[in-house]
């Protein structure tokens, strides 16, 4: 119940494409769903986050879609660029400890 | 501001040796975390702290100990290293109630032979 399942494991798109990364969870107590971006040799960094009271959140070219009834959420990257090539992690948290449960990550490669 | 820093960046240990990884943050954050990252397994929480002098177990605490004697520092200890502890270790910090906004350090790559 504590897991966050992420797919696909890897994704290759051409510049301008719209990669979509999906995550699913079981624990209905989760109340915060961030996405982290990690470049090789660096620590993860917060990209965008959503709470379950909204169905979509957009920040620049990055959009989270949230389906509370299906217990799924996804990250869409519009007009993807080679600089978006990184590993993306979804995560979920609940309660007041700020602990995060991470998905297993998606390695995205965007070719020119 | 340096943010979250980790030392060392890379270390090679022999089985049975001990070592301490140091994490420091200059953002006055209450919460600090230690994760390990392994291929195909994402980031798994080892231990965390909700304030100076406090520690708690995360998802994979066995074989590790931690201490938070000062608010800005969080130490991760391996008393008797095992090859299964070969991993990349990340420290993070956050200031609740900015829920979910954890700031990560650059990582420590540890190889246990």
């Amino acid at each position: 119940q504590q897991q966050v399942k992420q797919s696909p494991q890897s994704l290759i798109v051409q510049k301008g494409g719209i990669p979509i990364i999906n995550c699913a969870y079981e624990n209905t107590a989760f109340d915060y769903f961030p996405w982290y971006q990690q470049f090789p040799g660096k620590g993860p960094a917060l990209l965008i986050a959503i709470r379950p009271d909204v169905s979509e959140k957009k920040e620049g070219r990055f959009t989270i879609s949230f389906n509370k009834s299906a217990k799924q959420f996804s990250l869409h990257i519009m007009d993807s660029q080679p600089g978006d090539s990184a590993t993306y992690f979804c995560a979920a948290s609940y309660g007041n400890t700020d602990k995060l449960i991470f998905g297993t990550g998606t390695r995205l490669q965007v070719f020119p | 501001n340096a943010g979250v820093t980790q030392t060392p960046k890379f270390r090679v240990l022999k089985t049975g040796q001990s070592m301490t990884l140091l994490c420091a943050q200059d953002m006055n954050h209450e919460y600090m975390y230690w994760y390990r990252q392994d291929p195909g397994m994402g980031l798994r929480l080892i231990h965390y702290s909700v304030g100076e002098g406090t520690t708690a177990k995360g998802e994979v605490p066995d074989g590790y100990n931690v201490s938070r004697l000062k608010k800005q520092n969080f130490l991760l200890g391996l008393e008797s290293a095992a090859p299964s502890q070969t991993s990349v270790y990340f420290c993070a910090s956050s200031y609740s109630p900015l829920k979910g906004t954890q700031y990560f350090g650059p990582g420590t790559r540890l190889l246990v032979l």
Side-chain angles (χ1 to χ4, degrees), chain A residues 49-65:
Chain A
I50 197 168
R51 294 187 186 273
D53 52 348
V54 297
S55 59
E56 185 175 281
K57 183 171 182 181
K58 198 173 192 178
E59 286 185 5
R61 295 184 294 106
F62 299 91
T63 300
I64 301 178
S65 298

Side-chain angles (χ1 to χ4, degrees), chain B residues 34-94:
Chain B
W34 275 108
Y35 293 90
R36 60 177 289 172
Q37 184 175 27
D38 302 290
M41 301 189 78
L43 292 117
R44 292 181 293 167
L45 183 65
I46 304 171
H47 286 280
Y48 65 101
S49 168
V50 301
E52 182 179 316
T54 74
T55 62
K57 293 180 180 180
E59 187 183 349
V60 289
D62 294 342
Y64 305 95
N65 56 74
V66 288
S67 65
R68 183 117 181 254
L69 299 180
K70 293 183 179 180
K71 186 177 184 179
Q72 63 268 34
N73 295 337
F74 195 28
L75 278 62
L76 178 71
L78 287 74
E79 288 188 350
S80 179
S84 62
Q85 294 178 304
T86 293
S87 188
V88 181
Y89 292 86
F90 287 99
C91 175
S93 71
S94 69

Side-chain angles (χ1 to χ4, degrees), chain A residues 9 31-32 34 36 38 41-46 49 51 87 89 93-105, chain B residues 31 33 35 37 40-43 45 48 50 57-59 90 94-107:
Chain A
Q9 191 173 359
D31 59 3
Y32 193 75
Y36 280 77
Q38 183 181 30
K42 304 289 185 184
L46 180 67
R51 294 187 186 273
T87 299
F89 293 94
S93 75
Y94 68 98
N96 60 2
T97 62
D98 213 23
K99 288 194 297 181
L100 289 174
I101 309 296
F102 282 89
T104 51
Chain B
Y31 288 15
Y33 313 82
Y35 293 90
Q37 184 175 27
M41 301 189 78
L43 292 117
L45 183 65
Y48 65 101
V50 301
K57 293 180 180 180
E59 187 183 349
F90 287 99
S94 69
Y95 175 68
S96 221
L98 293 177
K99 198 174 176 71
T101 310
Q102 293 188 12
Y103 296 86
F104 282 79

Side-chain angles (χ1 to χ4, degrees), chain A:
Chain A
Q1 262 219 331
Q2 288 296 86
Q3 282 187 324
V4 177
K5 295 183 180 179
Q6 183 172 347
S7 63
Q9 191 173 359
S10 64
L11 197 49
I12 301 173
V13 299
Q14 285 212 304
K15 178 182 172 182
I18 306 175
I20 300 172
I21 304 169
N22 301 299
C23 287
Y25 64 96
E26 288 295 325
N27 189 346
T28 55
F30 286 144
D31 59 3
Y32 193 75
F33 301 89
W35 284 87
Y36 280 77
Q37 180 188 54
Q38 183 181 30
F39 292 106
K42 304 289 185 184
L46 180 67
L47 183 64
I48 186 173
I50 197 168
R51 294 187 186 273
D53 52 348
V54 297
S55 59
E56 185 175 281
K57 183 171 182 181
K58 198 173 192 178
E59 286 185 5
R61 295 184 294 106
F62 299 91
T63 300
I64 301 178
S65 298
F66 189 84
N67 186 330
K68 190 173 180 179
S69 61
K71 291 183 282 187
Q72 295 175 346
F73 58 109
S74 58
L75 176 70
H76 301 235
I77 306 175
M78 305 302 176
D79 187 27
S80 59
Q81 302 295 313
D84 297 328
S85 297
T87 299
Y88 293 81
F89 293 94
C90 61
S93 75
Y94 68 98
N96 60 2
T97 62
D98 213 23
K99 288 194 297 181
L100 289 174
I101 309 296
F102 282 89
T104 51
T106 297
R107 187 182 175 207
L108 172 66
Q109 293 175 275
V110 182
F111 286 96

